[in-house]
Amino acid sequence: RQGLPTSCAPTYMLLALSAALASSAEAPVPDVHIHTPLLRSSKLSERVGGPVYLKMDALQPGGSFKARGIGRLCTHLVRERGVTRLVSSSCANAGMAVAVAGRALGVATTIVASDVDRGCRLLESFRRLGAEVLLEGKEWNDADARARALGDEPASAYVPMFDHPLIVDGHSSLVEELFSDRNGEPPGCIVLSVGGGGLLSGVCEGLKRVGWGSVPVYACQSERCNLLDRAMASGRTPTPTHIYSADGHDLGTRAVAQAALDCSAELDVRSLLVSDSATLAAVGEFLDDERVMVEPLCAVALAALYTRPELFRQHGSVVVVVCGGSLCSLDDVVAWRRRAERGLAATSDDDEPGHGHGES
């Protein structure tokens, strides 16, 4: 692993993925993601008063659940459409998933960043995975416009962060794994974090696919990342606006996915808001309890369990999606814990070591 930062996919994992993809030219298109473990958390089980299981997607190549849906779309683009360059405007988990997929599939990858992302630690991670990094404009909208234009060039394709049917289909594999690991027995509820709604859309699709459509889903959001809550309350998509994770990162997306709204109306999806300070505290608490580091957007679901355990006691068993995240370091965790102790919401320029966009 010499030369690879900790936020990159392990070398052995990339080699295994590349071998699997290369050996199956005539076989069904394989996936870039891996089957992640389902682990019982003794600490959270004690807190809730019933069994709590962790779906450990923090162990995916690239560090987040994005490997599922974005890996599925990238594989389709390369194997079925002959694309030789993948383009993304994400400087966070989606961009990392594209870079990992591009390397595993043996094609070029371009990540377009804006001035806001110049200090993002993942830019070097992208380069070490073989991706080209371009800088364009002052904010994400500028970078995204350039990325879309590059994606229109011959043999190239723009890869969205979450809002695409194949991405939703890829994320649904998480529930198929749960079905297999639990021998078809549904959990009492599923708890997950929501940003743009891609993960929620995929989980709901998976629930319908395996016949678990009655399982409640808690869609957890932090205070400044509440697009889904606002949409569910009003019955319509809110006016596009900047939304921020608890640590002050602009998510890039300006609206929640329509698929997330549709499945929220169809299934038992329960919006749950968590304070920014509780979310930041959950990052450190989960690291202490489970020895796993996650970014704040993932920690929203964990914070719900830490701060409102009585809400989940009624369900008997709980599965929480530990969706991971590339935008975290030990320095970040220390800074976030200080903020949580002061009870302060984070801002992008207050004591914040990293920059970039997070998306769920």
Side-chain angles (χ1 to χ4, degrees):
R1 296 186 58 186
Q2 185 175 4
L4 278 175
T6 55
S7 57
C8 287
T11 301
Y12 75 87
M13 193 176 290
L14 287 168
L15 291 174
L17 290 169
S18 298
L21 290 161
S23 65
S24 56
E26 301 301 326
V29 177
D31 290 311
V32 170
H33 72 267
I34 63 170
H35 186 134
T36 55
L38 182 67
L39 306 175
R40 190 179 189 275
S41 169
S42 58
K43 295 290 182 66
L44 281 171
S45 296
E46 182 179 356
R47 181 80 63 101
V48 170
V52 175
Y53 298 92
L54 309 173
K55 182 54 174 167
M56 293 298 297
D57 260 36
L59 302 180
Q60 288 289 356
S64 85
F65 77 98
K66 293 285 186 178
R68 295 181 181 275
I70 286 180
R72 177 74 56 86
L73 174 57
C74 291
T75 302
H76 168 79
L77 291 170
V78 172
R79 296 293 294 272
E80 303 298 321
R81 288 182 42 190
V83 165
T84 59
R85 181 174 67 160
L86 304 167
V87 186
S88 171
S89 61
S90 167
C91 288
N93 300 314
M96 179 62 73
V98 173
V100 168
R103 178 161 173 171
L105 292 161
V107 298
T109 304
T110 298
I111 308 295
V112 185
S114 69
D115 286 345
V116 173
D117 300 308
R118 283 182 181 271
C120 178
R121 68 171 63 89
L122 290 188
L123 298 185
E124 184 58 28
S125 297
F126 296 150
R127 294 186 180 101
R128 292 187 182 186
L129 284 166
E132 174 189 33
V133 176
L134 303 178
L135 292 173
E136 178 72 29
K138 294 182 178 181
E139 62 174 15
W140 175 79
N141 282 339
D142 302 323
D144 188 61
R146 175 78 184 282
R148 289 176 184 272
L150 292 173
D152 287 336
E153 294 181 358
S156 298
Y158 170 83
V159 182
M161 291 188 286
F162 58 84
D163 201 2
H164 189 284
L166 283 178
I167 293 178
V168 172
D169 182 67
H171 293 336
S172 72
S173 63
L174 185 151
V175 179
E176 293 169 357
E177 291 174 15
L178 288 178
F179 186 87
S180 173
D181 292 340
R182 294 179 58 86
N183 296 316
E185 180 183 354
C189 70
I190 294 175
V191 186
L192 51 78
S193 301
V194 176
L199 177 59
L200 173 63
S201 302
V203 166
C204 288
E205 180 63 29
L207 291 175
K208 291 188 290 183
R209 190 171 296 168
V210 303
W212 285 359
S214 62
V215 173
V217 178
Y218 284 89
C220 304
Q221 303 142 80
S222 55
E223 293 168 330
R224 293 182 292 167
C225 185
N226 63 347
L227 285 178
L228 179 68
D229 186 76
R230 288 159 50 198
M232 290 177 66
S234 66
R236 57 185 176 82
T237 302
T239 303
T241 184
H242 289 264
I243 55 172
Y244 300 90
S245 57
D247 56 321
H249 286 152
D250 186 337
L251 265 67
T253 181
R254 302 291 182 256
V256 69
Q258 184 61 47
L261 296 179
D262 294 342
C263 70
S264 297
E266 182 180 358
L267 301 184
D268 186 2
V269 175
R270 308 178 185 186
S271 178
L272 182 61
L273 296 183
V274 181
S275 72
D276 284 350
S277 59
T279 299
L280 296 178
V283 176
E285 192 162 5
F286 191 68
L287 180 59
D288 290 341
D289 288 350
E290 310 293 345
R291 301 299 186 265
V292 176
M293 190 181 300
V294 298
E295 67 181 44
L297 195 55
C298 168
V300 180
L302 301 168
L305 290 163
Y306 281 127
T307 60
R308 300 188 63 182
E310 72 286 346
L311 186 63
F312 305 99
R313 203 163 290 147
Q314 61 180 306
H315 295 294
S317 65
V318 177
V319 169
V320 57
V321 180
V322 183
C323 55
S326 307
L327 290 168
C328 54
S329 69
L330 186 57
D331 288 342
D332 289 324
V333 176
V334 171
W336 296 333
R337 179 168 269 172
R338 271 201 307 269
R339 284 184 181 149
E341 290 170 350
R342 298 198 305 264
L344 299 176
T347 61
S348 58
D349 58 355
D350 172 28
D351 204 21
E352 174 57 44
H355 300 278
H357 307 295
E359 326 90 7
S360 281

